[in-house]
Amino acid sequence: MQLKKYLAILVHKNSSKIRQEKQSIRTKLLKKRESISKKEQKEKSQKICELLKNSSIFQKAKKIMFFVPTKNEVDIFPVIKESLEGKEVFLPCLTAKEGIMTVRKITKINQLKKNTFNIYEPCNQQCELADPKNFDLIIVPAVGMDKKGNRIGFGKGYYDQFLPKTTAKTIAVIFSYQLIDKIPTEKHDIAIKTVLTEDRLHHF
C-alpha cells in the first residue's frame, strides 16, 4: 500500500509539472498570436485555405467537420462557406461543462448563432446531431503543435475527449510560428499526425 501511495504521489507531481509546462507554452503562443497584425493574419489564413482546398485529403472528403475560428485563429470561414456547395459540413457545439462537445450539420451560414463562449455554433433547433463515426475529415484548431503531432489547445479537453469517438482523418491548421519542437504530453492527449501551415502540409 505504501508503494502504491508513493507511486500515486509521483504520478500526481509529474502531471502537475506537465500541466504547468503546457500552460507556459500556451501563454507564450497566445501572446504571439495576439501580436500578429490583422493583415498578416488574413494573408496567412488565405494561404492556408488555398492549401487546404487543393490537398487531396480535403478534395476526397465528403463529410467534413470544421471549427468556427475565434481569437485570431486561422480564418477557415471561407472554406466552410465554399464547402456548403458540394460537401456535407459539420460544426461543433460546446457546453459549459468542460470536455463535452457535440457536432451538428449545417446547410447554410445563417444557422449559426453565438454561444455562451461568444463563439458561433449551429442552432440546435435547425441542425441535426451528427454521428462522429460518419466523418471523413476533421479540421482541428490548436494553440500549438509540435513535430511529433502533439497538440496543445485551450486546456478544456474538448477535442481530446471527442477524437477517440471517430476514425476520421484529422488536420490541425495553425500558423507556422505555432509549430514548435516539443509539447509535453499526458495520457489523454490525442496526437494529430497531419498539420497545415501557410507554408505546407506537414506529415508526422
Side-chain angles (χ1 to χ4, degrees):
M1 289 296 292
Q2 289 296 325
L3 178 60
K4 285 185 179 179
K5 187 176 181 181
Y6 174 70
L7 290 174
I9 292 171
L10 283 181
V11 169
H12 177 73
K13 284 184 176 179
N14 187 53
S15 294
S16 296
K17 183 181 178 182
I18 290 173
R19 284 194 290 271
Q20 288 174 0
E21 289 175 357
K22 280 183 170 181
Q23 185 56 43
S24 176
I25 293 170
R26 183 181 292 115
T27 300
K28 288 177 183 177
L29 290 174
L30 286 174
K31 189 175 181 180
K32 172 70 175 175
R33 197 169 76 182
E34 288 167 6
S35 71
I36 299 298
S37 69
K38 289 293 182 182
K39 181 182 177 183
E40 184 177 352
Q41 189 257 3
K42 182 178 179 180
E43 289 174 349
K44 290 183 175 182
S45 291
Q46 287 173 341
K47 288 179 181 179
I48 290 171
C49 286
E50 287 305 311
L51 287 171
L52 178 60
K53 289 188 296 181
N54 292 328
S55 67
S56 60
I57 186 173
F58 180 84
Q59 291 177 352
K60 290 175 183 176
K62 295 180 180 178
K63 298 182 178 183
I64 306 176
M65 175 182 162
F66 294 90
F67 66 91
V68 177
T70 185
K71 296 180 181 177
N72 234 19
E73 289 177 323
V74 176
D75 185 5
I76 59 167
F77 210 73
V79 184
I80 296 174
K81 289 192 283 188
E82 285 184 38
S83 296
L84 288 169
E85 302 291 332
K87 295 183 185 289
E88 291 185 58
V89 173
F90 303 86
L91 290 169
C93 299
L94 308 181
T95 65
K97 187 176 180 181
E98 285 193 5
I100 305 300
M101 181 170 77
T102 58
V103 181
R104 292 180 180 271
K105 179 179 178 179
I106 69 164
T107 55
K108 47 191 177 182
I109 292 299
N110 64 11
Q111 290 174 329
L112 300 179
K113 65 174 185 179
K114 284 190 176 182
N115 61 16
T116 53
F117 303 104
N118 208 32
I119 300 171
Y120 281 101
E121 65 178 26
C123 177
N124 291 356
Q125 290 76 20
Q126 301 177 39
C127 307
E128 63 183 88
L129 274 171
D131 185 345
K133 296 175 183 176
N134 295 331
F135 301 153
D136 299 317
L137 177 63
I138 299 176
I139 311 300
V140 183
V143 172
M145 297 289 302
D146 73 12
K147 294 173 183 178
K148 289 186 177 180
N150 296 313
R151 171 183 175 271
I152 188 168
F154 281 98
K156 302 296 184 182
Y158 288 109
Y159 282 87
D160 287 326
Q161 292 196 42
F162 179 82
L163 291 176
K165 301 175 184 176
T166 180
T167 57
K169 293 179 180 179
T170 53
I171 299 178
V173 291
I174 58 172
F175 299 116
S176 57
Y177 63 82
Q178 294 173 278
L179 183 59
I180 63 177
D181 289 330
K182 186 179 180 181
I183 291 173
T185 60
E186 298 174 85
K187 268 187 178 181
H188 62 265
D189 291 329
I190 304 295
I192 309 292
K193 295 301 183 179
T194 304
V195 177
L196 179 62
T197 66
E198 70 272 17
D199 302 317
R200 64 185 179 90
L201 201 60
H202 306 258
H203 298 284
F204 303 120

